[in-house]
Amino acid sequence: MEDLTGQHFGGYELKELVGTGGMASIYKGFDEALSRWVAIKVVPILATGAAEATMLARFRLEAQAIAALRHRNILTIYGYGEERGWAYIVMEYVPGGSLKDRIKPKEPFTWQRALTIIIPVAEALAFAHNRHIIHRDIKPANILMPEEDWPLLADFGLAKMEHSTRPNLTMPGQVLGTMAYAAPEQIQEGEIDSRVDIYSLGIVLYELLSGKLPFEGETTFDFLMARLTDPPAPLLEVNPEAPPVFEPILEKALAQEPDDRYQTMHEFACDLKLAQQELSLMSTSGKVEAVEEPEPKIRLIVSPGGQEILVSGQSELVIGRAYKSKVPDIDLSPFGGSQAGVSRQHSRLVYKNNGWFIEDLGSTNGTYVNSAKIAPNQPVALKHNDLIRCGQIELHLSLD
């Protein structure tokens, strides 16, 4: 491909070629108007073949996808343009390299370091999924690292708009996503949804905690078939020093059948955050052994009516209001939930480490604990006599 170093596009000078992939080239550029460095991804648009047209359509979709996502852990796009036979996306420049640069064979990350990276990426993907955008190419090379504790999700070139009426931009016989991280349904070229990103991020987490990929094969065919027929090698067999709490999490994230996985990235992120809290508590107390937890039980008293809601035996409870055939675990509809501004899936109660946590599920009117509004998707520990408010309905917490 032609080297465009020194040329100008839309007020940006291309200073240095820093990467290539497929039909695209990435340059370090300079924003002459604002005197700042940028990254500029460039593809040719003169070719008229079907493959080139599909590539350009994906490129435009990438620009639209990133532009729609404003999140601390998603790379920011500054602009898009087409001129002189080239299309280009202007993005923030990240000098710190990618997660791929930090992974060394057989050198696992500590669980602290792994979760510092994976949890923000999971939250960024949950944010994208809530806006019906699937990434489809999650891998260490697409997680940029401006700082060691600040990952940025990049390269939405294979992004798909979920439930979109846009034409399919996958060429027949073409598998999207890097094979080492692709979900089984991607390899089989089946129908995909946001659960492919859950699988791929699960492989990245496994790689960080073990120092290797969960599947092996002497040939590419063997490697792909192992993904379709074999379970991943147990984490503790590969790295006996890894915390056992990750085994069930990875088993669920890497299930071959999408229906057996986490159904949303939000659920995956929540379990990761709870694991982080549990491991942090064990590190502080010096305890490493697992503690058998009693059966979870929670009692909520609706104010001001005094009606009692008692639930036992469930460690996860969605608070909300019924809609058609979908009824949440704790249904506030009988208490005027619709008029009181309760969302269908308003918040979630989670029992972990002998305690209850609550998190807001991105509700319209917010979740409050003792009059303080909690941030969405951030579990908050609860204690006896706390006052929970969902919309305008108050729930007095009583823990026996």
Side-chain angles (χ1 to χ4, degrees):
M1 185 182 296
E2 179 183 350
D3 187 351
L4 301 175
T5 302
Q7 297 199 32
H8 292 72
F9 289 96
Y12 302 95
E13 181 181 0
L14 277 56
K15 292 285 192 178
E16 177 186 355
L17 179 65
V18 295
T20 59
M23 295 291 291
S25 298
I26 300 177
Y27 292 84
K28 180 180 179 180
F30 189 71
D31 184 339
E32 298 165 340
L34 298 177
S35 297
R36 64 179 175 183
W37 292 104
V38 295
I40 305 175
K41 188 174 184 178
V42 183
V43 299
I45 58 175
L46 289 178
T48 58
E52 290 81 4
T54 297
M55 179 275 300
L56 180 58
R58 282 205 201 105
F59 194 70
R60 289 169 175 159
L61 179 60
E62 176 182 8
Q64 295 169 7
I66 303 176
L69 301 175
R70 298 297 300 273
H71 189 278
R72 183 179 187 274
N73 298 106
I74 295 177
L75 191 72
T76 301
I77 183 172
Y78 296 143
Y80 174 84
E82 297 179 12
E83 59 181 90
R84 305 198 315 272
W86 300 91
Y88 59 91
I89 300 173
V90 183
M91 302 168 286
E92 64 179 304
Y93 177 69
V94 180
S98 72
L99 179 59
K100 181 181 179 181
D101 303 324
R102 289 156 171 78
I103 295 177
K104 307 299 180 185
K106 299 181 181 180
E107 294 185 15
F109 283 28
T110 64
W111 66 262
Q112 295 94 332
R113 187 182 179 199
L115 292 183
T116 296
I117 296 168
I118 295 297
I119 288 176
V121 173
E123 292 176 334
L125 285 167
F127 180 83
H129 293 172
N130 286 340
R131 285 149 184 81
H132 309 296
I133 295 174
I134 310 167
H135 190 284
R136 296 204 290 181
D137 195 19
I138 302 301
K139 58 185 179 182
N142 286 340
I143 300 173
L144 305 183
M145 301 295 297
E147 298 177 14
E148 292 305 307
D149 60 350
W150 180 18
L152 276 178
L153 184 59
D155 203 341
F156 280 75
L158 301 184
K160 177 180 184 294
M161 305 297 290
E162 197 169 24
H163 313 306
S164 172
T165 57
R166 296 174 184 268
N168 184 7
L169 298 181
T170 304
M171 299 294 289
Q174 180 183 32
V175 180
L176 295 181
T178 303
M179 287 300 92
Y181 303 89
E185 59 269 33
Q186 287 178 284
I187 296 172
Q188 295 175 308
E189 301 181 46
E191 290 294 322
I192 69 169
D193 56 30
S194 59
R195 292 173 292 185
V196 300
D197 287 347
I198 295 172
Y199 186 96
S200 298
L201 189 62
I203 289 192
V204 176
L205 175 60
Y206 184 105
E207 185 177 13
L208 296 185
L209 292 172
S210 69
K212 62 181 297 186
L213 293 169
F215 300 97
E216 294 182 337
E218 294 183 3
T219 67
T220 301
F221 177 79
D222 292 339
F223 179 77
L224 296 181
M225 287 305 297
R227 193 85 53 83
L228 302 178
T229 59
D230 301 331
L235 175 64
L236 294 183
E237 288 185 10
V238 181
N239 178 16
E241 301 300 319
V245 69
F246 288 111
E247 279 209 320
I249 293 175
L250 287 170
E251 180 180 358
K252 190 170 183 178
L254 298 180
Q256 292 178 355
E257 294 295 330
D259 288 346
D260 295 331
R261 288 178 214 150
Y262 290 100
Q263 295 304 288
T264 66
M265 187 64 75
H266 170 73
E267 293 177 20
F268 187 22
C270 183
D271 272 5
L272 292 174
K273 286 182 279 189
L274 291 173
Q276 185 181 48
Q277 292 172 349
E278 180 178 336
L279 291 169
S280 297
L281 286 172
M282 289 193 296
S283 297
T284 301
S285 65
K287 297 179 180 179
V288 295
E289 69 276 5
V291 178
E292 184 177 350
E293 297 183 357
E295 181 182 78
K297 181 168 64 175
I298 194 166
R299 187 189 309 272
L300 299 169
I301 300 171
V302 183
S303 298
Q307 299 94 331
E308 183 177 286
I309 302 172
L310 175 64
V311 183
S312 62
Q314 290 181 247
S315 60
E316 295 185 10
L317 300 163
V318 173
I319 302 175
R321 57 182 175 84
Y323 176 72
K324 295 183 179 179
S325 61
K326 297 182 179 180
V327 181
D329 302 301
I330 298 177
D331 183 12
L332 298 183
S333 300
F335 309 106
S338 181
Q339 297 83 357
V342 176
S343 299
R344 295 170 189 168
Q345 291 197 344
H346 196 102
S347 53
R348 181 166 76 153
L349 293 163
V350 179
Y351 185 78
K352 196 77 172 178
N353 199 38
N354 290 329
W356 283 99
F357 296 80
I358 190 169
E359 61 176 327
D360 183 79
L361 299 180
S363 64
T364 302
N365 295 304
T367 302
Y368 296 76
V369 176
N370 299 326
S371 300
K373 187 175 183 179
I374 65 175
N377 306 322
Q378 298 290 333
V380 172
L382 294 172
K383 62 183 184 299
H384 181 62
N385 284 333
D386 275 349
L387 187 64
I388 300 169
R389 178 158 63 86
C390 299
Q392 297 303 315
I393 293 184
E394 293 185 338
L395 302 168
H396 182 87
L397 175 66
S398 177
L399 298 175
D400 298 331

